Amino acid sequence: MVKPALFLVHYHEIALKGKNRRHFEQLLAQRLRDALGEAARVRLLYGRILIEAEPEAAAAVQERLARVFGVAYYARVQRTEVDFRSIATTAVEILGDFSGSFRVTAKRANKRLPFTSPEAEREIGALIVAARGWPVRLKGAAAVVYVEFYENEAWVYTSRDRTPGPGGLPVGASGKVMVLASGGIDSPVAAWRMAKRGARPVYVHFHSYPHTSLDSLRKTVLELEALARWHGPTRLYVVPLAGVQEAVFTHSPERYRTLLYRRFMYRIAARLAEKERAGALVTGDALAQVASQTLENLHAVAKAVEMTVLRPLIGMDKTEVIAEAKQIGTYDISILPQQDCCSFLEPKRPATRSTPEQLERAESRLDVEKLVEEALAQAELRRVGE
Ligand code: ATP
Ligand code: MG
């Protein structure tokens, strides 16, 4: 039989969560199974997760591990017997033409072994020195040989094989959120940050068809396909906003238009969130990025709903958001050309400081509930990332 490729997955934060620990570990193991599929076997062991895959699948496994939230880092490991000589030989093989200082760090999950971890470190270190003559350096070694003893086997890897994962918490550990996705640069980054903290995102996109093309919807779908590579398959609600926009356009003061559209988006999103049992709305707002994102306007818009509105990008510069969007893989989609919303729907001089009372007054001639119901009745549900 061919030797399977083995990977050891480490996680930080979830180990700290006291009595929830088991739940988090199981969730992470499940997310790894979701991400890796048939190609790999995922085993939850003592404080670690071990993945066994067909050797041909190793590259694909590695690439996917880099996108599973909750993974602090992972390493391809070699399995040996519990025998210092085999372990040292394996370490030397892995390090290949390395030359420089090193140290050995051992860890025992099997406490019945007839040696302590420091003893193992010393003896394995001495064997490596004998074989290659590299100097031992306890602080600031150029390479660390890690040995983990588990039951009747040892796993060997080095600091050079350790790859950082995305960190965070496994998706679903922190509930669900409803993300308002515009098709722009910011909202996918906001969703990614929430997913990284363990929230499962479901999405809503509002389009202005037939006043604009459906470019924004097409971009949103592509962005969510890219995000699904991180957080797994999910759902997108597609809601036409043209009816709301026409009513606002006809019956409300021009300078509040954008803010009023936004209040309707929040209301509709909150209703969908209740249906989905999502605990909060998420937007890609960053403080003062545009007129609708001043402190006053953020407040006045959010007053339209009871639900918590989370804005994970609030303190970020656009350049930082762009850098993150590139890493996530959504940036190139977000900058695809898209027809701007027909200028007649947007105010020429938008209000930069509104109050909730002003916006309520601006809405006084609208049948808010009816407009929300009409939009909801036209909502379409799509699956993404399957
Ligand atoms: P983005 O890059 O996300 O479009 P932006 O800087 O263009 O951000 P705005 O257009 O002011 O910002 O929108 C702020 C936030 O409001 C968006 O990040 C998104 O969460 C939400 N939003 C705006 N337009 C829509 C829309 N058509 N559908 C869903 N959500 C929207
Ligand atoms: Mg936008």
Side-chain angles (χ1 to χ4, degrees):
M1 209 192 96
V2 252
K3 261 179 36 179
L6 295 183
F7 296 89
L8 204 55
V9 170
H10 291 239
Y11 37 92
H12 295 313
E13 199 159 2
I14 58 183
L16 303 174
K17 294 251 170 173
K19 62 181 194 300
N20 284 334
R21 172 175 169 162
R22 193 74 195 159
H23 169 69
F24 282 103
E25 287 174 330
Q26 278 166 348
L27 195 57
L28 177 56
Q30 188 52 49
R31 292 299 162 256
L32 288 164
R33 287 185 193 106
D34 297 344
L36 301 174
E38 301 289 297
R41 194 158 84 97
V42 176
R43 280 198 291 156
L44 180 54
L45 305 173
Y46 188 80
R48 298 276 185 276
I49 291 173
L50 188 72
I51 292 167
E52 293 180 60
E54 299 292 325
E56 315 83 73
V61 166
Q62 207 130 351
E63 198 220 334
R64 289 179 189 184
L65 287 178
R67 286 197 305 265
V68 178
F69 296 120
V71 173
Y73 59 89
Y74 56 92
R76 176 98 186 246
V77 302
Q78 302 298 323
R79 180 152 45 193
T80 73
E81 304 151 49
V82 180
D83 167 66
F84 295 158
R85 208 159 274 284
S86 323
I87 294 169
T89 308
T90 304
V92 165
E93 269 170 28
I94 300 175
L95 283 167
D97 56 10
F98 166 82
S99 106
S101 59
F102 81 103
R103 104 180 122 84
V104 179
T105 295
K107 209 172 153 147
R108 299 181 316 157
N110 176 356
K111 301 292 180 195
R112 291 185 307 269
L113 293 170
F115 50 81
T116 64
S117 294
E119 280 164 10
E121 289 167 359
R122 271 197 304 276
E123 297 200 24
I124 297 163
L127 290 166
I128 295 174
V129 172
R132 300 300 308 265
W134 299 325
V136 172
R137 218 175 178 206
L138 296 186
K139 278 214 174 95
V144 182
V145 172
Y146 292 99
V147 184
E148 304 208 6
F149 295 101
Y150 178 79
E151 291 182 350
N152 297 320
E153 58 198 61
W155 303 320
V156 186
Y157 61 102
T158 77
S159 47
R160 307 203 307 171
D161 311 312
R162 273 168 55 145
T163 311
L169 299 170
V171 171
S174 324
K176 207 193 242 187
V177 291
M178 177 62 72
V179 180
L180 285 80
S182 64
I185 296 168
D186 302 330
S187 33
V189 177
W192 185 88
R193 288 197 154 207
M194 294 305 299
K196 182 182 174 197
R197 288 303 305 164
R200 175 170 290 293
V202 286
Y203 296 89
V204 56
H205 174 72
F206 298 93
H207 64 77
S208 308
Y209 188 81
H211 302 304
T212 56
S213 71
L214 288 171
D215 290 348
S216 66
L217 171 60
R218 279 187 279 272
K219 280 171 63 182
T220 301
V221 169
L222 291 174
E223 286 172 349
L224 303 196
E225 294 290 344
L227 286 165
R229 285 156 53 87
W230 295 88
H231 59 53
T234 186
R235 285 188 290 281
L236 164 67
Y237 289 89
V238 179
V239 182
L241 202 68
V244 164
Q245 288 175 312
E246 284 152 23
V248 169
F249 177 83
T250 315
H251 298 293
S252 303
E254 178 183 337
R255 66 186 179 286
Y256 296 129
R257 269 178 211 159
T258 311
L259 301 176
L260 299 185
Y261 302 155
R262 213 44 67 75
R263 276 166 69 94
F264 277 97
M265 289 186 198
Y266 280 29
R267 290 184 179 109
I268 295 161
R271 294 277 290 270
L272 294 170
E274 278 165 25
K275 185 169 131 184
E276 283 281 339
R277 297 176 187 278
L281 303 184
V282 174
T283 74
D285 295 309
L287 187 59
Q289 196 188 75
V290 287
S292 59
Q293 295 170 25
T294 61
L295 280 182
E296 292 83 356
N297 284 346
L298 290 173
H299 173 71
V301 168
K303 275 285 174 183
V305 290
E306 298 269 341
M307 192 168 276
T308 304
V309 181
L310 298 174
R311 302 180 179 90
L313 311 188
I314 197 70
M316 289 176 78
D317 293 345
K318 194 77 185 187
T319 50
E320 293 170 325
V321 177
I322 287 172
E324 211 161 289
K326 286 179 179 168
Q327 281 181 345
I328 298 167
T330 52
Y331 181 74
D332 291 340
I333 304 165
S334 304
I335 58 169
L336 291 173
Q338 134 182 12
Q339 186 192 349
D340 267 339
C341 186
C342 31
S343 44
F344 77 91
L345 285 174
E346 296 297 337
K348 281 177 203 66
R349 290 163 176 238
T352 52
R353 290 160 167 228
S354 64
T355 64
E357 296 70 33
Q358 285 170 333
L359 298 189
E360 280 159 28
R361 234 174 292 130
E363 280 170 349
S364 60
R365 294 178 54 209
L366 303 175
D367 189 340
V368 170
E369 187 49 32
K370 182 158 167 267
L371 288 166
V372 168
E373 287 294 345
E374 282 171 358
L376 282 169
Q378 298 174 72
E380 255 178 62
L381 180 57
R382 296 201 184 191
R383 294 182 184 280
V384 284
E386 274 171 353

